[in-house]
Amino acid sequence: MKMRLQEILFPKKDEYARAWKLFYHGMGVIYRDRAVKMAPCSQIDYMSYFNAFSLEKWKTYTCVKNISLVLIIEGAFRIRLVGYSLNVCSPVRTVLGTYDYDLKEKTEIRFEYPKTEDTMLAFEIETNSVCKLYSGGYEGECDSQKIQEVNLFLATTTFKKETFIERNLELLKEEILNTQDEMKENFSIHVIDNGRTLEAEKLEQERVFIHSNKNVGGSGGFARGMIEALKSEKIVTHILLMDDDILILPESIKRTYRLLKVLKPEYRERFISGAMLCYEQMNIQHEDIGFVHKDGSYGPLKGRLDHNFVVDNLRCEKEYLPKQDMYAGWWYCCIPMEAIKKNGLPLPLFVRGDDVEFSLRNHAGFITMNGISVWHLGFTYKFNAAVELYQVHRNSLILQAVSGVCQNIDFMDRMRKLFRARILSLDYSGAELILDAIEDFLKGPAFIQQDCGEHIMKEKASKNEAMKPLKEFSNIDIDLDTVYYDPPRGFARKWLYRLTYNGHRFCPSALLRKGPGIVAYDWFYSPEHNFWRKELLAVNPHLETGHLRIHSKKKYRTLLKRYKELIRQYHAAHIQIEEQYKQAYDFLRSIDFWESYLEI
């Protein structure tokens, strides 16, 4: 049986136009009248992030074979079928076939790729006249008895992001629900409206549902989506969790659906983890799979990838060595419903850590693929201390205690080091947020069983540094190029920095240097920039904003006293507290708990 696996994509909307190299490479191309028009004597290469075919992964994970390229095109041109593989760190291109055409009208042409060991397949068009490419795609063959029934339930959680949600709904309606694609009969969209601001009567239609929900964060929104999926009249096989502040290509969801239909039995329990591309730099991949580092931080399995380049497309497709404690982020994550039926709903963590704990709890395996992705807004350029210092670290302690994951990681050691770094950087509010995280963890599971996540986030957000435009600091000489540079220090300065805790003790205030030092506003830590300064200007070079920090021995003494007391309490009570979390675990992930919590 022949199946359409992947469509050839064009940057046909304004949002995608600035990222055209993700679709093709070459000049003399314009999208007009529902076709790509290619000028004479042009060479267009479709070996790109969205338009190459991930042969090795389709061969590994699915029962698909005999891949073909189908194009609807007109004009005089030469087409080359190509394959690509990675030789250590260099792409290797192989020509798999060359064909010449002179088509006077729109015509469908088809090519079967020969057997090859290449990682990815693509094609190139060399024009002899004006040519128009109307559409195209990759097809494969699969035994009809091996194709499984898929009913895909999309759950997206939103809080007052009407512009993003309404735009994405229109795209999905236009390209899936209002088409003749067979997928539409097995696909439904469920928007969990935590802000209760969406007009349901305006947005709902057949297979589109708006669920008004309390503001219970991402974990509560996705828990509501899972409950709706479990109660669906039509049996749901997979739930696709997706963020609200994203830009999507509906083709990513189509590829996910088609992939699910032809997975080999041994891969059907895997999560499909979509990549997060940066909305501000659309060619840059932030993460497709993450893992918890040994030091207690979180980050991507793969390094920074630029999908404008063939070599990074190939690097992204190779199988990386597995790490301990890997997870899939819920900006785009497709989960088999069996995992939810077996292991329950998310923990009530409001935001951050729910997706980590859920992946680790389920011992999840993952599938990633070029072209299955979203563009996420502001994730990599906006550091939110209330989230990163309080929410992440409180939840790290909770997920470790409640489900016994990440036992090889000392989160408290990371928090001690972060507390010290924030104090030394004169970020007293950041240090306070870390102490808040420890204190609230010690309150035990009863604390997170209360519906107070929104209140907590507002309270903690009030401790974020108030960033102002750098033009308001015109009296300060600011070199943005040096913000993330850590100058070397001599032995004497290292010794004085440590002994005096950067001037907070054993150091008269008169010895502190005048004139603000320039430091990074986020995780980056530079002792030399901090050294004995009365003031530090914490700068976000991406948004060109800053906050002036003032040296305070009084705040240092207050925070240090509180820190010592909390560490004492932690050592005295953490074993008992962890046992309470373990005992509450089954209840916290149950439907009974969540229905009561959500008041449904």
Side-chain angles (χ1 to χ4, degrees), residues 190-204:
H190 298 258
V191 180
I192 315 303
D193 181 16
N194 281 356
R196 295 178 171 173
T197 55
L198 296 177
E199 298 179 52
E201 62 278 6
K202 171 184 170 184
L203 299 174
E204 286 189 327

Side-chain angles (χ1 to χ4, degrees), residues 492-511:
R493 289 170 83 91
K494 285 183 182 179
W495 183 79
L496 287 170
Y497 187 77
R498 293 174 182 175
L499 177 67
T500 67
Y501 225 79
N502 194 21
H504 286 99
R505 61 185 185 182
F506 316 134
C507 178
S509 296
L511 294 181

Side-chain angles (χ1 to χ4, degrees), residues 409-566:
I409 295 168
D410 188 345
F411 287 116
M412 278 301 297
D413 182 60
R414 173 171 174 77
M415 295 169 78
R416 291 187 195 99
K417 291 174 180 175
L418 277 176
F419 173 80
R420 179 177 182 274
R422 303 321 284 197
I423 289 281
L424 294 172
S425 302
L426 314 188
D427 180 14
Y428 306 113
S429 59
E432 186 179 355
L433 286 167
I434 294 167
L435 300 184
D436 290 349
I438 299 171
E439 183 174 74
D440 287 351
F441 166 74
L442 291 173
K443 293 175 182 176
F447 179 69
I448 61 170
Q449 288 180 43
Q450 306 170 57
D451 175 22
C452 53
E454 183 177 17
H455 169 75
I456 290 169
M457 286 306 299
K458 286 180 179 178
E459 178 199 341
K460 304 312 174 189
S462 70
K463 300 180 182 182
N464 287 347
E465 293 181 321
M467 305 295 283
K468 299 178 180 179
L470 290 182
K471 64 183 179 182
E472 296 190 20
F473 303 98
S474 57
N475 60 319
I476 301 173
D477 184 20
I478 303 170
D479 184 357
L480 296 181
D481 293 334
T482 63
V483 171
Y484 291 108
Y485 170 64
D486 184 22
R489 293 180 295 161
F491 175 78
R493 289 170 83 91
K494 285 183 182 179
W495 183 79
L496 287 170
Y497 187 77
R498 293 174 182 175
L499 177 67
T500 67
Y501 225 79
N502 194 21
H504 286 99
R505 61 185 185 182
F506 316 134
C507 178
S509 296
L511 294 181
L512 297 178
R513 294 190 291 168
K514 296 179 181 179
I518 309 301
V519 297
Y521 77 116
D522 51 13
W523 298 109
F524 188 78
Y525 172 63
S526 172
E528 182 59 23
H529 285 162
N530 294 340
F531 182 74
W532 278 21
R533 291 281 187 180
K534 282 189 176 181
E535 297 175 330
L536 291 174
L537 182 63
V539 172
N540 179 342
H542 308 292
L543 300 180
E544 296 190 359
T545 56
H547 175 83
L548 193 64
R549 300 171 179 170
I550 311 296
H551 196 285
S552 172
K553 292 184 179 182
K554 181 180 179 181
K555 289 182 179 179
Y556 159 74
R557 288 192 293 267
T558 301
L559 287 167
L560 189 64
K561 180 180 178 181
R562 184 184 174 205
Y563 167 78
K564 290 179 178 178
E565 175 59 22
L566 282 171

Side-chain angles (χ1 to χ4, degrees), residues 57 60-62 148 237-239 256 259-260 263-273 289 319-320 322 326 328 333-339 342 358-359 362-368:
K57 288 195 170 178
T60 299
Y61 298 125
T62 77
Q148 64 171 337
T237 60
H238 298 81
I239 184 168
T256 300
L259 185 62
L260 292 172
L263 286 177
K264 294 175 181 175
E266 60 266 34
Y267 296 111
R268 289 177 184 170
E269 293 184 0
R270 292 205 175 192
F271 294 8
I272 297 179
S273 182
I289 298 173
E319 292 293 340
Y320 281 64
M326 296 197 304
C333 181
C334 185
I335 300 170
M337 285 301 295
E338 286 303 313
K342 286 181 186 176
F358 194 86
S359 290
N362 281 280
H363 307 286
F366 307 101
I367 295 174
T368 65

